[in-house]
Amino acid sequence: MEENVIVDQLIADIQAGKYEPGDKLPSENEMADLFKVPRMTVRKAYRRLQELGYISARQGKGSFVMDRHRPIPLVLSGSESFSRKMLDRGYDYESRNVFCEPIPYNDHIYRFLKADEGDTVFRIGRLRLVGGSPIALHISYVAESKFRNIRTEGRTITSMYTYYREKGYRRLASTESRLRVVFPGKFERDILSCSVLIPLLVVESGCVDEETGTVLEASKNLYRSDYFTYVLE
């Protein structure tokens, strides 16, 4: 479609530095004349660039280039928590506990946790933010039979690794990870403040204590693809 040509050209111009963060883009009429297309085509292209996070529209003023953050290197292995990695790299980082709730019986999760069908498994969500912007959602599934007070303690946890170490588990290790890419649904769009056009990297894994062999959690982590570069070790 014609608007895709405009989108591709403007993305290339922004990445090449022709337009800097805060710069005002040509008006829809000016861009229509430049590309020799109807104004509606330019409007569709600008709307797509907004959805992709490249520009923002200001009522009565026009469209402006947004500050595209430097990609964050995401190491998908190791024994350090995500929070520790972000803090060690000097990011303006925050982790918020956003939910702690029991889940319906799920055969895959219960078998991974070695939990009985009568056990209660809680999902604990932590929203990760850099510079005040949500970049990832980490969800841990934890069996109440292993952590008797998780029903109440889980509401304040912002780092599961810290929590496990406080409980006496010292040699934490990740299990094999499964990666897939999905487009966000309404829940993910709302909590991560992203459009449907921004893919999410979903990493499903688990955490075990190497000393005792105890399976501590199953995990499902969602990362906004526009904030990260991915490093596999």
Side-chain angles (χ1 to χ4, degrees):
M1 295 188 296
E2 291 178 318
E3 64 261 27
N4 288 337
V5 175
I6 301 174
V7 168
D8 290 343
Q9 183 60 57
L10 285 175
I11 289 176
D13 289 344
I14 291 170
Q15 292 177 339
K18 180 177 179 179
Y19 298 108
E20 298 289 342
D23 284 353
K24 182 180 179 180
L25 292 180
S27 69
E28 292 178 1
N29 285 332
E30 291 171 330
M31 194 65 72
D33 290 340
L34 178 64
F35 281 90
K36 296 179 172 51
V37 295
R39 180 181 175 184
M40 182 56 66
T41 300
V42 177
R43 183 168 296 176
K44 290 179 181 178
Y46 277 16
R47 187 177 302 126
R48 178 65 61 85
L49 287 166
Q50 288 181 52
E51 292 173 340
L52 291 171
Y54 281 93
I55 68 173
S56 63
R58 301 178 192 173
Q59 186 68 32
K61 295 184 178 180
S63 297
F64 295 81
V65 178
M66 294 185 67
D67 184 6
R68 297 285 293 179
H69 35 262
R70 292 180 61 189
I72 299 169
L74 176 63
V75 180
L76 297 177
S77 62
S79 59
E80 285 295 335
S81 70
F82 180 84
S83 293
R84 176 48 52 195
K85 292 172 184 175
M86 293 297 100
L87 292 171
D88 286 348
R89 288 180 170 87
Y91 290 106
D92 177 16
Y93 172 78
E94 180 185 359
S95 176
R96 295 179 188 168
N97 185 296
V98 288
F99 54 75
C100 173
E101 57 195 17
I103 66 167
Y105 177 80
N106 179 293
D107 185 64
H108 173 72
I109 292 175
Y110 271 66
R111 280 193 293 107
F112 183 86
L113 294 174
K114 300 178 181 178
D116 296 331
E117 190 169 343
D119 200 352
T120 302
V121 170
F122 283 82
R123 71 172 197 150
I124 302 164
R126 289 91 62 215
L127 184 63
R128 316 303 200 174
L129 304 97
V130 166
S133 298
I135 61 171
L137 175 66
H138 287 187
I139 303 172
S140 296
Y141 298 90
V142 178
E144 191 172 29
S145 59
K146 291 191 178 79
F147 300 95
R148 294 293 183 182
N149 298 317
I150 196 67
R151 186 181 299 266
T152 54
E153 293 176 343
R155 299 171 185 169
T156 59
I157 295 172
T158 56
S159 169
M160 295 303 297
Y161 270 44
T162 298
Y163 178 75
Y164 296 143
R165 285 179 172 133
E166 289 173 349
K167 297 299 180 181
Y169 297 105
R170 301 297 179 185
R171 293 184 57 191
L172 305 177
S174 297
T175 63
E176 183 178 72
S177 298
R178 294 189 302 169
L179 283 72
R180 56 193 173 95
V181 176
V182 302
F183 286 95
K186 185 178 185 305
F187 170 76
E188 291 83 12
R189 294 197 304 272
D190 288 345
I191 200 165
L192 290 171
S193 300
C194 63
S195 81
V196 71
L197 296 177
I198 296 178
L200 304 178
L201 177 70
V202 180
V203 181
E204 294 175 307
S205 184
C207 180
V208 299
D209 175 59
E210 291 186 318
E211 287 185 357
T212 62
T214 303
V215 178
L216 302 176
E217 70 168 50
S219 64
K220 178 181 178 181
N221 302 328
L222 297 85
Y223 300 93
R224 283 185 52 159
S225 63
D226 56 335
Y227 273 89
F228 291 96
T229 56
Y230 309 109
V231 180
L232 297 175
E233 293 184 342

